[in-house]
Amino acid sequence: MKILLFGETGQVAREIQRRAGDVELECLGREAADFSDPAACAARVAKTDANAIINAVAYTAVDRAEEDEAAATVVNAETPGAIARAAAARGIPIVHISTDYVFDGAGEAPFAPDDTPAPLGAYGRSKLAGEVAVRSAGGPRAILRTSWVVSAHGSNFVRTMLRLGAERDGLNIVADQIGGPTCAADIADACIAIAGHLVAEPAKSGTYHFSGAPDVSWADFAREIFARAHISCAVGDIPSTDYPTPARRPMNSRLDNSATMAAFGIPRPDWRAGLDDILIELGACAPGERR
């Protein structure tokens, strides 16, 4: 199988390249595929000989999107829509990564794929518009919503906590937002597997959820990072109101992953195992300390 991968340096795109195995990849980074140019990206699909497409590109600056929604919408909606239409015209399945931010975070129950989206801000609106565009293209597709992505690369919560934890004796962390941290390596494996399923069984097209288990607060996630990295930094629980941001965050980012398991046999990954791998790669703990 050959996959056309949009993305090269992002967290998930990097892990797809590392974990592709026998899958042949055609990788399109910023120089090869300008996501501010939907037509150019669609043209790359028109001439590919790939069996499937994975879109791992996104405008992820959640707070900046509040002032730059037009740019976020181009990257997160208009270009994915153009790619999906070009793919549909050739019958090529696409796996498109989306986010828990399409929901309003109300309640405490995990959100199911068919729950009604209600984004709280510009980033969520742009990602929801991308889902609609990909779905409306009419071709074989899997829209894969995930949450709280972390890895040994890029900007993410694990790397931030390791840096701040080494500098300070204590940190106050939001404790009333609950979700499933998801390791980019696990998302990469899921995307590759789902792409293969869609090539063989395009009828499995749909919207799916994939997030790490168990669900946890940001504060408890920080405690686990510090414990596994042997960092003596106390964590104080604070409400979201004590840490205001330009964009509102969902309080409840729990996602129901059962449809993903039923369709593709992919279980929720334990983020604690993935966290160990990240810490080992970053040199924050030794391989023999894996729990």
Side-chain angles (χ1 to χ4, degrees):
M1 181 174 68
K2 181 175 180 179
I3 291 176
L4 176 65
L5 172 63
F6 282 94
E8 188 174 35
T9 60
Q11 294 187 80
V12 175
R14 289 185 67 161
E15 292 297 336
I16 289 173
Q17 293 170 76
R18 296 171 71 178
R19 305 174 75 85
D22 294 334
V23 173
E24 182 182 355
L25 290 180
E26 178 184 355
C27 300
L28 301 178
R30 289 184 179 89
E31 294 182 0
D34 180 0
F35 250 61
S36 66
D37 188 342
C41 291
R44 297 304 298 256
V45 175
K47 63 182 181 181
T48 188
D49 61 349
N51 307 104
I53 297 167
I54 297 176
N55 175 30
V57 175
Y59 183 114
T60 57
V62 175
D63 290 323
R64 191 165 69 237
E66 292 299 307
E67 298 180 353
D68 198 13
E69 187 167 355
T73 301
V74 171
V75 173
N76 289 343
E78 294 176 17
T79 297
I83 290 170
R85 290 188 293 273
R90 301 188 57 198
I92 303 173
I94 179 171
V95 179
H96 174 70
I97 302 171
S98 192
T99 174
D100 60 297
Y101 276 72
V102 301
F103 296 115
D104 61 6
E108 296 183 356
F111 285 96
D114 59 354
D115 282 338
T116 302
L120 298 174
Y123 170 69
R125 288 191 295 269
S126 70
K127 291 297 288 183
L128 178 58
E131 292 187 8
V132 171
V134 170
R135 195 176 295 116
S136 299
R141 79 279 174 187
I143 295 167
L144 189 67
R145 296 178 181 138
T146 189
S147 63
W148 297 18
V149 182
V150 295
S151 72
H153 316 286
S155 176
N156 62 72
F157 189 75
V158 171
R159 288 171 58 89
T160 298
M161 289 300 101
L162 292 176
R163 175 175 56 82
L164 294 179
E167 297 171 352
R168 306 180 189 179
D169 295 328
L171 291 169
N172 290 327
I173 308 292
V174 169
D176 55 2
Q177 296 174 23
I178 310 297
T182 318
C183 298
D186 292 321
I187 301 171
D189 289 344
C191 286
I192 293 168
I194 291 171
H197 278 277
L198 289 180
V199 170
E201 300 176 86
K204 289 186 175 181
S205 293
T207 302
Y208 298 93
H209 288 173
F210 184 74
S211 61
D215 293 317
V216 69
S217 70
W218 287 115
D220 284 339
F221 188 24
R223 290 187 182 94
E224 193 69 20
I225 293 167
F226 293 150
R228 290 172 183 259
H230 306 292
I231 293 175
S232 298
C233 181
V235 175
D237 291 3
I238 61 170
S240 297
T241 52
D242 283 2
Y243 189 72
T245 55
R248 291 174 61 195
R249 268 64 172 172
M251 303 294 283
N252 175 21
S253 289
R254 301 172 180 89
L255 297 176
D256 182 343
N257 288 230
S258 57
T260 307
M261 179 63 186
F264 306 115
I266 302 173
R268 288 188 73 181
D270 188 328
W271 57 260
R272 293 166 296 192
L275 175 59
D276 282 343
D277 290 336
I278 292 170
L279 296 177
I280 290 168
E281 182 171 352
L282 292 172
C285 70
E289 295 176 309
R290 184 188 301 276
R291 298 190 182 187

